[in-house]
Amino acid sequence: MFKPTLKLAVLLAALFAGAAVHAQESKALIDALIKKGILTEDEAKAVQAEAKKSALSFVEVKTKPVTKLQISGRMQAQFDGLNTDRYGADNAATTHFFVRRAYLTVNAALGKEWVGNMTWDFAGSFFDAFNIQYKGWADKTLTIGIKKVNFGIEENTSSGSLKAIERSGVTRYFVESNNGRRLGAGSYRTGIFLDGSEGNFFWGAAVTNPERTSTPSSIGSGANNNAAFWANAGFKNKFEGGDYAIGVNAGF
């Protein structure tokens, strides 16, 4: 039975404490100690045998779950100077600076086929997107979580890419929250979305909660326990000097 001296006990403790060191590196350390006369050949063999009996098992991860991480953001500051000569509508007057949007976006590639997306709007205190996507198909994308349904191309175009200052009145009627003057159909929903394309033809389908996702914890109520169904199809193409897209959206 091997009985270590003080110097060997210290060496064994160091080897056990550094059990994560690769075997090749441990051998180099022992060879250096032999060369310097700190260990004899027999002592070195005894140390290695003792270390093998007490060695911990470690698993070295060969792949990483997150293969790519992208962080971005966008801020939109605005000044409104509004007035009216309508009698009794003084509350419509506004002269203020404010932050319209303050986005922080994190996109994580989870291997080759999955992507996680999160955009939080600090100005509005809600998610602009919170979902995972499967992109293992060449022409289709499956999304699970919070995103805008395909209902109005202008609503699904980033505000940073719009040609006009604001979205049109028609778009706002169909997608903004129902206040008695608007339909409140599109915009943010929580559910499952499938989008695809083939050449210039594109399509989409979704099953979501019936209510708009206005807060991160929006879970509905017994009054709206039915699912909402969405579908869209269209055609897009380019020509000299521009491009166009035409299609139809439907929601139930």
Side-chain angles (χ1 to χ4, degrees), residues 146-205:
I146 298 173
K147 71 184 291 285
K148 290 182 177 181
V149 293
N150 294 329
F151 204 90
I153 190 170
E154 194 178 43
E155 174 68 2
N156 286 274
T157 300
S158 170
S159 56
S161 301
L162 289 175
K163 305 300 183 184
I165 297 175
E166 297 286 355
R167 288 175 172 83
S168 67
V170 172
T171 295
R172 297 185 66 179
Y173 169 76
F174 277 104
V175 304
E176 291 192 2
S177 57
N178 187 349
N179 63 353
R181 303 189 307 273
R182 298 189 293 252
L183 189 60
S187 199
Y188 302 99
R189 302 275 168 161
T190 303
I192 302 175
F193 310 79
L194 183 63
D195 298 285
S197 63
E198 185 172 344
N200 293 331
F201 176 75
F202 60 90
W203 57 271

Coordinates of all heavy atoms in Angstrom, one line a residue, residues 146-205:
I146 N -45.0 35.2 -29.2 CA -45.6 36.5 -29.4 C -45.0 37.1 -30.7 O -43.8 37.3 -30.8 CB -45.4 37.5 -28.3 CG1 -46.1 36.9 -27.0 CG2 -46.0 38.8 -28.6 CD1 -45.8 37.8 -25.7
K147 N -45.9 37.4 -31.6 CA -45.5 38.2 -32.8 C -46.8 38.8 -33.4 O -47.9 38.5 -33.0 CB -44.8 37.3 -33.8 CG -45.6 36.3 -34.6 CD -44.8 35.4 -35.5 CE -44.3 36.2 -36.7 NZ -45.3 36.5 -37.7
K148 N -46.6 39.7 -34.4 CA -47.7 40.2 -35.1 C -48.3 39.2 -36.1 O -47.5 38.6 -36.9 CB -47.3 41.5 -35.8 CG -47.0 42.7 -34.9 CD -46.7 43.9 -35.7 CE -46.5 45.1 -34.8 NZ -46.2 46.4 -35.6
V149 N -49.6 39.1 -36.2 CA -50.2 38.3 -37.2 C -50.1 39.0 -38.6 O -50.0 40.2 -38.6 CB -51.7 37.9 -36.9 CG1 -51.7 37.0 -35.7 CG2 -52.5 39.2 -36.7
N150 N -50.2 38.2 -39.6 CA -50.1 38.8 -41.0 C -51.5 39.4 -41.3 O -52.3 38.8 -41.9 CB -49.7 37.8 -42.0 CG -48.3 37.3 -41.8 OD1 -47.4 38.0 -41.3 ND2 -48.0 36.0 -42.1
F151 N -51.6 40.7 -40.9 CA -52.9 41.3 -41.2 C -52.6 42.8 -41.5 O -52.6 43.7 -40.6 CB -53.9 41.3 -40.0 CG -55.3 41.4 -40.3 CD1 -56.1 40.3 -40.7 CD2 -55.9 42.6 -40.4 CE1 -57.4 40.4 -41.0 CE2 -57.2 42.8 -40.7 CZ -58.0 41.6 -41.0
G152 N -52.3 43.1 -42.8 CA -51.9 44.4 -43.2 C -50.4 44.5 -43.4 O -49.7 44.4 -42.4
I153 N -50.0 44.7 -44.6 CA -48.5 44.8 -44.8 C -47.9 46.0 -44.2 O -46.7 45.9 -43.7 CB -48.2 44.8 -46.4 CG1 -46.7 44.6 -46.6 CG2 -48.7 46.1 -47.0 CD1 -46.4 44.3 -48.1
E154 N -48.6 47.1 -44.0 CA -48.0 48.2 -43.4 C -47.8 48.0 -41.9 O -46.8 48.4 -41.4 CB -49.0 49.4 -43.6 CG -48.4 50.8 -43.3 CD -49.3 51.9 -43.6 OE1 -50.5 51.8 -43.2 OE2 -48.9 52.9 -44.1
E155 N -48.7 47.3 -41.3 CA -48.5 47.0 -39.8 C -47.3 46.1 -39.6 O -46.7 46.1 -38.6 CB -49.8 46.3 -39.3 CG -49.7 45.8 -37.9 CD -49.6 46.9 -36.8 OE1 -49.6 48.1 -37.2 OE2 -49.5 46.6 -35.7
N156 N -47.0 45.2 -40.6 CA -45.9 44.3 -40.4 C -44.6 44.8 -41.0 O -43.7 44.0 -41.2 CB -46.3 42.9 -41.0 CG -47.3 42.1 -40.2 OD1 -46.9 41.4 -39.3 ND2 -48.6 42.3 -40.4
T157 N -44.6 46.0 -41.4 CA -43.4 46.7 -41.8 C -42.8 47.5 -40.7 O -43.5 48.2 -40.0 CB -43.7 47.6 -43.0 OG1 -44.2 46.9 -44.1 CG2 -42.4 48.3 -43.5
S158 N -41.5 47.4 -40.4 CA -40.9 48.1 -39.3 C -41.1 49.6 -39.5 O -41.1 50.1 -40.6 CB -39.4 47.8 -39.3 OG -38.7 48.7 -38.4
S159 N -41.4 50.3 -38.3 CA -41.6 51.7 -38.4 C -40.4 52.4 -38.9 O -40.5 53.5 -39.5 CB -41.9 52.2 -37.0 OG -40.9 51.9 -36.1
G160 N -39.2 51.8 -38.8 CA -38.0 52.4 -39.3 C -37.9 52.4 -40.8 O -37.1 53.1 -41.5
S161 N -38.7 51.5 -41.5 CA -38.7 51.4 -42.9 C -39.9 52.0 -43.6 O -40.0 51.9 -44.8 CB -38.7 49.9 -43.3 OG -37.5 49.2 -42.7
L162 N -40.9 52.6 -42.9 CA -42.0 53.2 -43.5 C -41.7 54.5 -44.2 O -40.8 55.2 -43.7 CB -43.1 53.5 -42.4 CG -43.8 52.3 -41.8 CD1 -44.7 52.8 -40.6 CD2 -44.6 51.6 -42.8
K163 N -42.3 54.7 -45.3 CA -42.1 56.0 -46.0 C -42.8 57.1 -45.4 O -42.3 58.3 -45.4 CB -42.5 55.8 -47.5 CG -41.9 54.6 -48.2 CD -40.4 54.7 -48.3 CE -39.8 53.5 -49.1 NZ -38.3 53.6 -49.0
A164 N -43.9 56.9 -44.8 CA -44.7 57.9 -44.2 C -44.3 58.1 -42.7 O -43.7 57.2 -42.1 CB -46.2 57.6 -44.3
I165 N -44.7 59.2 -42.1 CA -44.4 59.5 -40.7 C -45.2 58.5 -39.8 O -44.6 58.0 -38.8 CB -44.7 60.9 -40.3 CG1 -43.8 61.9 -41.1 CG2 -44.5 61.1 -38.8 CD1 -44.2 63.3 -40.9
E166 N -46.4 58.2 -40.1 CA -47.3 57.3 -39.4 C -47.9 56.3 -40.3 O -48.0 56.5 -41.5 CB -48.4 58.1 -38.6 CG -47.9 59.1 -37.6 CD -47.4 58.5 -36.3 OE1 -47.5 57.2 -36.2 OE2 -46.8 59.2 -35.5
R167 N -48.4 55.2 -39.7 CA -49.2 54.3 -40.5 C -50.5 54.9 -40.9 O -51.1 55.8 -40.2 CB -49.4 53.0 -39.7 CG -48.1 52.2 -39.6 CD -48.3 51.0 -38.7 NE -47.1 50.1 -38.7 CZ -46.0 50.3 -38.0 NH1 -45.9 51.4 -37.2 NH2 -44.9 49.5 -38.1
S168 N -51.1 54.4 -42.0 CA -52.3 55.0 -42.5 C -53.5 54.8 -41.7 O -53.5 53.9 -40.8 CB -52.6 54.4 -43.9 OG -52.9 53.1 -43.8
G169 N -54.5 55.6 -41.9 CA -55.8 55.5 -41.1 C -56.4 54.1 -41.4 O -57.1 53.6 -40.5
V170 N -56.3 53.6 -42.6 CA -56.9 52.3 -42.9 C -56.2 51.2 -42.0 O -56.9 50.3 -41.4 CB -56.8 51.9 -44.4 CG1 -57.2 50.5 -44.7 CG2 -57.6 52.9 -45.2
T171 N -54.9 51.2 -42.0 CA -54.2 50.2 -41.2 C -54.6 50.4 -39.7 O -54.8 49.4 -39.0 CB -52.7 50.4 -41.4 OG1 -52.3 50.1 -42.7 CG2 -51.9 49.5 -40.4
R172 N -54.6 51.6 -39.2 CA -54.9 51.8 -37.8 C -56.3 51.3 -37.5 O -56.6 50.8 -36.4 CB -54.7 53.3 -37.5 CG -53.3 53.8 -37.7 CD -53.1 55.2 -37.2 NE -53.3 55.3 -35.8 CZ -53.2 56.5 -35.1 NH1 -52.9 57.6 -35.8 NH2 -53.4 56.5 -33.8
Y173 N -57.3 51.5 -38.4 CA -58.6 51.0 -38.2 C -58.6 49.5 -38.0 O -59.3 48.9 -37.1 CB -59.5 51.4 -39.3 CG -60.9 50.6 -39.2 CD1 -61.8 51.1 -38.3 CD2 -61.2 49.5 -40.0 CE1 -63.1 50.4 -38.2 CE2 -62.4 48.9 -39.9 CZ -63.3 49.3 -39.0 OH -64.5 48.6 -38.9
F174 N -57.9 48.7 -38.8 CA -57.9 47.3 -38.8 C -57.1 46.7 -37.6 O -57.5 45.6 -37.1 CB -57.5 46.7 -40.1 CG -58.5 46.6 -41.1 CD1 -58.5 47.5 -42.2 CD2 -59.5 45.7 -41.1 CE1 -59.5 47.5 -43.2 CE2 -60.5 45.6 -42.1 CZ -60.5 46.6 -43.1
V175 N -56.0 47.3 -37.2 CA -55.1 46.6 -36.3 C -55.0 47.3 -34.9 O -54.6 46.6 -33.9 CB -53.7 46.6 -36.9 CG1 -53.7 45.9 -38.2 CG2 -53.1 48.0 -37.0
E176 N -55.4 48.5 -34.7 CA -55.2 49.1 -33.4 C -56.4 48.7 -32.5 O -57.4 48.2 -32.9 CB -55.1 50.6 -33.5 CG -53.8 51.1 -34.1 CD -53.5 52.6 -33.9 OE1 -54.4 53.3 -33.3 OE2 -52.5 53.0 -34.5
S177 N -56.1 48.8 -31.2 CA -57.1 48.3 -30.2 C -58.5 48.8 -30.4 O -58.7 50.0 -30.8 CB -56.6 48.6 -28.8 OG -56.4 50.0 -28.6
N178 N -59.5 48.0 -30.1 CA -60.9 48.4 -30.3 C -61.3 49.3 -29.2 O -61.4 49.0 -28.1 CB -61.7 47.1 -30.3 CG -63.2 47.3 -30.6 OD1 -63.6 48.5 -30.7 ND2 -63.9 46.3 -30.8
N179 N -61.6 50.6 -29.7 CA -62.1 51.6 -28.7 C -63.5 52.1 -29.2 O -63.9 53.2 -28.8 CB -61.1 52.7 -28.7 CG -61.0 53.5 -30.0 OD1 -61.5 53.0 -31.0 ND2 -60.2 54.6 -30.0
G180 N -64.2 51.3 -30.0 CA -65.5 51.7 -30.5 C -65.4 52.3 -31.9 O -66.4 52.4 -32.6
R181 N -64.2 52.8 -32.3 CA -64.0 53.4 -33.6 C -63.1 52.5 -34.5 O -62.9 52.8 -35.6 CB -63.5 54.8 -33.5 CG -64.4 55.7 -32.7 CD -63.9 57.2 -32.8 NE -62.5 57.3 -32.5 CZ -62.0 57.5 -31.2 NH1 -62.8 57.5 -30.2 NH2 -60.7 57.6 -31.0
R182 N -62.4 51.5 -33.9 CA -61.5 50.7 -34.6 C -61.8 49.2 -34.4 O -62.4 48.8 -33.4 CB -60.0 51.0 -34.1 CG -59.6 52.4 -34.3 CD -58.1 52.6 -34.0 NE -57.8 52.4 -32.6 CZ -57.5 53.4 -31.7 NH1 -57.4 54.6 -32.2 NH2 -57.2 53.1 -30.5
L183 N -61.4 48.4 -35.4 CA -61.7 47.0 -35.4 C -60.9 46.2 -34.4 O -61.3 45.2 -33.8 CB -61.6 46.4 -36.8 CG -62.1 45.0 -37.0 CD1 -63.6 44.9 -36.7 CD2 -61.8 44.6 -38.5
G184 N -59.6 46.6 -34.2 CA -58.7 45.8 -33.3 C -58.4 44.4 -33.7 O -58.3 43.5 -32.8
A185 N -58.2 44.2 -35.0 CA -58.1 42.8 -35.4 C -56.7 42.3 -35.4 O -56.4 41.2 -34.9 CB -58.7 42.7 -36.9
G186 N -55.7 43.0 -36.0 CA -54.4 42.5 -36.1 C -53.5 42.7 -34.9 O -53.9 42.7 -33.8
S187 N -52.2 43.0 -35.3 CA -51.2 43.3 -34.3 C -50.7 42.1 -33.5 O -50.7 41.0 -34.0 CB -51.6 44.5 -33.4 OG -50.5 45.1 -32.8
Y188 N -50.3 42.4 -32.2 CA -49.6 41.3 -31.4 C -50.6 40.3 -31.0 O -51.6 40.5 -30.4 CB -48.9 42.0 -30.2 CG -48.0 43.1 -30.6 CD1 -48.3 44.4 -30.5 CD2 -46.7 42.7 -31.0 CE1 -47.4 45.4 -30.9 CE2 -45.8 43.7 -31.3 CZ -46.1 45.1 -31.3 OH -45.3 46.0 -31.6
R189 N -50.2 39.0 -31.2 CA -50.9 37.9 -30.7 C -50.0 36.8 -30.2 O -48.8 36.8 -30.5 CB -51.7 37.2 -31.8 CG -52.7 38.2 -32.5 CD -54.0 38.3 -31.8 NE -54.9 39.4 -32.2 CZ -56.2 39.5 -32.1 NH1 -56.8 38.5 -31.4 NH2 -56.8 40.5 -32.5
T190 N -50.5 36.0 -29.3 CA -49.7 34.8 -28.8 C -50.2 33.5 -29.4 O -51.4 33.3 -29.2 CB -49.8 34.8 -27.2 OG1 -49.3 36.0 -26.7 CG2 -48.9 33.7 -26.7
G191 N -49.4 32.8 -30.0 CA -49.9 31.5 -30.6 C -48.8 30.8 -31.4 O -47.6 31.0 -31.2
I192 N -49.2 30.1 -32.5 CA -48.4 29.4 -33.4 C -48.6 29.9 -34.8 O -49.7 30.0 -35.2 CB -48.7 27.9 -33.3 CG1 -48.6 27.3 -31.9 CG2 -47.8 27.1 -34.3 CD1 -49.0 25.9 -31.7
F193 N -47.4 30.2 -35.4 CA -47.5 30.9 -36.7 C -46.6 30.0 -37.7 O -45.5 29.6 -37.4 CB -46.9 32.3 -36.7 CG -47.5 33.1 -35.6 CD1 -47.1 33.0 -34.2 CD2 -48.4 34.1 -35.8 CE1 -47.6 33.8 -33.2 CE2 -49.0 34.9 -34.8 CZ -48.5 34.7 -33.5
L194 N -47.1 29.9 -38.9 CA -46.4 29.2 -40.0 C -46.4 30.1 -41.2 O -47.5 30.5 -41.7 CB -47.0 27.9 -40.3 CG -46.3 27.0 -41.4 CD1 -44.9 26.6 -40.9 CD2 -47.1 25.8 -41.7
D195 N -45.2 30.4 -41.7 CA -45.1 31.3 -42.9 C -44.2 30.6 -43.9 O -43.2 29.9 -43.6 CB -44.4 32.6 -42.5 CG -45.2 33.4 -41.5 OD1 -46.2 34.0 -41.9 OD2 -44.9 33.4 -40.3
G196 N -44.6 30.7 -45.2 CA -43.8 30.1 -46.2 C -43.8 30.9 -47.5 O -44.6 31.9 -47.7
S197 N -43.0 30.4 -48.5 CA -43.0 31.1 -49.8 C -42.5 30.1 -50.8 O -41.8 29.1 -50.5 CB -42.0 32.3 -49.7 OG -40.7 31.9 -49.4
E198 N -42.9 30.4 -52.0 CA -42.4 29.6 -53.2 C -42.3 30.5 -54.3 O -43.2 30.9 -54.9 CB -43.4 28.4 -53.5 CG -42.9 27.5 -54.6 CD -43.8 26.3 -54.7 OE1 -44.6 26.0 -53.9 OE2 -43.7 25.6 -55.8
G199 N -41.0 30.8 -54.6 CA -40.8 31.9 -55.7 C -41.3 33.2 -55.2 O -41.0 33.7 -54.1
N200 N -42.2 33.8 -56.0 CA -42.7 35.1 -55.7 C -44.0 35.0 -54.9 O -44.6 36.0 -54.5 CB -43.0 35.9 -56.9 CG -41.7 36.3 -57.6 OD1 -40.7 36.5 -57.0 ND2 -41.7 36.5 -58.9
F201 N -44.5 33.8 -54.7 CA -45.8 33.5 -54.0 C -45.4 33.4 -52.5 O -44.5 32.6 -52.1 CB -46.5 32.3 -54.5 CG -47.7 32.0 -53.7 CD1 -48.9 32.7 -53.9 CD2 -47.7 30.9 -52.9 CE1 -50.0 32.4 -53.2 CE2 -48.9 30.5 -52.2 CZ -50.0 31.3 -52.3
F202 N -46.2 34.0 -51.6 CA -46.0 33.8 -50.2 C -47.3 33.6 -49.5 O -48.4 34.0 -50.0 CB -45.3 35.1 -49.6 CG -46.0 36.4 -49.7 CD1 -47.0 36.8 -48.8 CD2 -45.8 37.2 -50.8 CE1 -47.6 38.0 -48.9 CE2 -46.5 38.4 -51.0 CZ -47.4 38.8 -50.0
W203 N -47.3 32.9 -48.3 CA -48.5 32.6 -47.6 C -48.2 32.5 -46.1 O -47.0 32.4 -45.7 CB -49.1 31.3 -48.1 CG -48.1 30.1 -48.0 CD1 -47.2 29.7 -48.9 CD2 -47.9 29.2 -46.9 NE1 -46.4 28.7 -48.5 CE2 -46.9 28.3 -47.2 CE3 -48.5 29.1 -45.6 CZ2 -46.4 27.3 -46.4 CZ3 -48.1 28.1 -44.8 CH2 -47.1 27.3 -45.1
G204 N -49.3 32.4 -45.3 CA -49.1 32.3 -43.9 C -50.4 31.8 -43.2 O -51.5 31.9 -43.8
A205 N -50.2 31.2 -42.1 CA -51.4 30.7 -41.3 C -51.0 30.8 -39.8 O -49.8 30.7 -39.4 CB -51.8 29.3 -41.7

